[in-house]
């Protein structure tokens, strides 16, 4: 039976977000968590993950935007901060990224994950999907193969029919375009990927109402991203959406919802 992987992104971004995500995992509402090991709260927040069932997949959310990096990145940062996603995408397109600095930072984020949890990540993806960008994706694949050879990579692509069946097609098409070739490249390194991907929306809609649409036309390993949380922090434009997501996920019977779309959900 096809499986639903419901992954909460941004663990470690703030204590409130981490606490909500860990609570949803404990309650069986999500079955995967993606961690930002570059964030200041990661070390303390990681303790919330130690008591979770081993069936909860815990992965690395590679962070190359907005935060303070773990390593010195003089060519990439501005005033010690990682750039915004628009600049990263532009520099990736024109092959202007300092790939040596990025490789060192990604390696450090893998190391921080393993240090705190005592094991490699079960999967690897990127904050704002930076892991699929030109240049960066090659580093991500190589570092995953070296540090977590049994991990899978997030593939943001999907079939045309599946994208057409769900809302917010423009976002899905954009992510699918940037992900072209990722699955083949990962396979060459011995790594697998999810085979369908959902969760795109505007962070303003009624999340409980829109959630079932994320499950339409799933593949055999259907990954849905979500961003539940609580609290407010400077620059977090989706803070209100995080709270709506958390409330909706707590209210949904995920096993029943998944089964109604021909998916198995376990944790």
């Amino acid at each position: 039976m096809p499986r639903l992987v419901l992954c909460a992104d941004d663990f470690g971004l703030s204590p409130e977000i981490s606490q909500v995500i860990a609570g949803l995992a404990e309650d069986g509402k999500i079955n995967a968590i993606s961690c930002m090991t570059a964030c200041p709260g990661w070390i303390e927040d990681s303790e919330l993950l130690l008591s979770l069932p081993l069936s909860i997949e815990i992965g690395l959310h590679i962070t190359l935007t907005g935060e303070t990096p773990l390593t010195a990145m003089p060519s990439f940062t501005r005033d010690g901060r990682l750039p915004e996603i628009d600049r990263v995408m532009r520099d990736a397109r024109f092959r202007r990224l300092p790939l040596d600095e990025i490789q060192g930072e990604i390696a450090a984020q893998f190391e921080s994950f393993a240090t705190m949890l005592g094991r490699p990540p079960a999967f690897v993806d990127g904050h704002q999907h930076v892991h699929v960008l030109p240049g960066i994706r090659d580093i991500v694949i190589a570092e995953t193969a070296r540090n977590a050879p049994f991990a899978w990579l997030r593939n943001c692509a999907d079939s045309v029919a599946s994208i057409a069946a769900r809302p917010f097609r423009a976002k899905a098409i954009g992510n699918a375009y940037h992900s072209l070739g990722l699955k083949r490249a990962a396979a060459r390194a011995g790594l697998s990927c999810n085979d369908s991907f959902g969760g795109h929306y505007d962070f303003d809609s009624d999340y409980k109402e829109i959630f079932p649409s994320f499950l339409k036309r799933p593949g055999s390993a259907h990954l849905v991203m979500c961003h539940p949380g609580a609290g407010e922090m400077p620059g977090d434009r989706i803070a209100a959406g995080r709270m709506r997501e958390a409330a909706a996920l707590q209210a949904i019977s995920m096993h029943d919802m998944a089964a109604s779309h021909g998916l198995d959900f376990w944790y």
Side-chain angles (χ1 to χ4, degrees):
M1 187 176 189
R3 184 190 176 211
L4 169 63
V5 178
L6 180 54
C7 180
D9 290 355
D10 299 350
F11 183 94
L13 185 60
S14 75
E16 294 83 1
I17 290 171
S18 297
Q19 289 160 13
V20 166
I21 290 174
L24 289 168
E26 289 172 352
D27 292 341
K29 301 297 183 176
I30 58 173
N31 57 3
I33 297 172
S34 198
C35 304
M36 301 174 71
T37 65
C39 290
W42 157 247
I43 292 176
E44 183 174 350
D45 290 357
S46 65
E47 296 180 4
L48 297 170
L49 303 173
L50 300 178
S51 60
L52 294 179
L54 292 178
S55 57
I56 302 293
E57 293 191 271
I58 302 177
L60 175 62
H61 202 48
I62 290 171
T63 303
L64 296 173
T65 59
E67 303 298 319
T68 301
L70 299 178
T71 61
M73 304 182 76
S75 299
F76 194 55
T77 55
R78 295 290 184 271
D79 298 323
R81 303 272 304 177
L82 291 164
E84 296 304 313
I85 186 61
D86 290 347
R87 181 191 144 204
V88 178
M89 293 177 68
R90 182 176 63 252
D91 286 355
R93 185 183 309 119
F94 293 107
R95 309 289 176 175
R96 297 194 301 236
L97 292 172
L99 297 180
D100 55 339
E101 294 182 6
I102 289 172
Q103 187 277 329
E105 176 63 21
I106 290 174
Q109 292 183 23
F110 269 99
E111 182 179 2
S112 181
F113 185 103
T115 297
M116 299 313 301
L117 296 187
R119 62 183 188 272
F123 62 89
V124 177
D125 56 42
H127 186 50
Q128 299 180 310
H129 309 306
V130 294
H131 68 295
V132 305
L133 296 178
I136 295 174
R137 75 162 60 180
D138 294 334
I139 296 171
V140 170
I141 289 171
E143 288 298 319
T144 302
R146 183 170 70 87
N147 293 285
F150 300 106
W152 52 272
L153 291 179
R154 176 180 293 185
N155 184 14
C156 303
D158 211 334
S159 70
V160 173
S162 294
I163 291 174
R166 305 183 198 128
F168 297 92
R169 300 178 187 93
K171 283 190 173 185
I173 290 169
N175 282 326
Y177 172 78
H178 289 299
S179 298
L180 288 173
L182 176 67
K183 190 172 184 178
R184 291 191 300 273
R188 288 195 293 270
L191 302 171
S192 62
C193 296
N194 55 292
D195 60 5
S196 58
F197 182 61
H200 301 94
Y201 82 115
D202 59 1
F203 295 101
D204 292 319
S205 301
D206 183 326
Y207 193 75
K208 188 176 181 181
E209 180 179 334
I210 202 171
F211 184 86
S213 68
F214 300 154
L215 308 185
K216 292 181 178 180
R217 298 187 66 93
S220 60
H222 185 51
L223 172 61
V224 173
M225 62 177 173
C226 60
H227 301 79
E232 295 185 3
M233 55 187 299
D236 186 12
R237 297 185 296 273
I238 65 169
R242 293 186 195 276
M243 290 185 278
R244 284 191 293 270
E245 288 191 33
L249 292 171
Q250 194 61 247
I252 293 172
S253 174
M254 202 56 66
H255 285 279
D256 294 342
M257 177 74 72
S260 70
H261 288 80
L263 289 161
D264 185 25
F265 176 82
W266 52 267
Y267 63 94

